[in-house]
Amino acid sequence: GRNQEMALAMAIEMEERGMKEYVAICFGTDGNDGPTDAAGAVVDGSTVRKVWDMKGKGKVKEDAVEMAKTYLERHDAYNYFSGSPFLVKCGATGTNVADVVVVVRKG
C-alpha cells in the first residue's frame, strides 16, 4: 500500500542521512492500506538495520539499504516489513477520513 511504501522510503532516507532521532508513521484511517491487512507502517532511523538483521542473514551488512531499495522499487513494502514490528495492523476502523503521516523528532 502507498502508506507502507512512503514509510519504507522515509526509513531509507533516515538511514542514509543518519537521522536516528526521527520517527514517522504513515497509515490509512480506514485500517487498510492497499491490498494488505495493514493500515501502514511506523519507522525510525534504525528500521532499515533492524529489518536487515531479521531478513539479511548471511549477507554483507552494507547491503541493508540496497535490500530496502529493492523492495521499494518492486512496490513490495508489505513483504519488506512482514514479520517485523513495523507494520501497523488495527483492522477495519469504519472510518475513511484520509491517509495520515506524522513525523516526530525525538529528544
Side-chain angles (χ1 to χ4, degrees), residues 18-62:
M19 300 169 68
K20 303 294 184 202
E21 69 276 12
Y22 288 87
V23 177
I25 184 169
C26 308
F27 65 96
T29 58
D30 62 355
N32 296 308
D33 184 32
T36 72
D37 61 347
V42 59
V43 298
D44 64 19
S46 65
T47 298
V48 170
R49 294 292 174 173
K50 289 177 180 173
V51 171
W52 173 260
D53 288 342
M54 293 171 53
K55 297 186 181 224
K57 298 182 188 327
K59 297 180 182 174
V60 178
K61 198 96 163 153
E62 290 76 27

Side-chain angles (χ1 to χ4, degrees), residues 5 8 12 66-77:
E5 188 161 318
L8 178 52
I12 292 167
E66 289 307 312
M67 182 182 82
K69 286 180 178 179
T70 298
Y71 277 86
L72 185 61
E73 289 168 3
R74 292 190 318 222
H75 305 286
D76 196 14

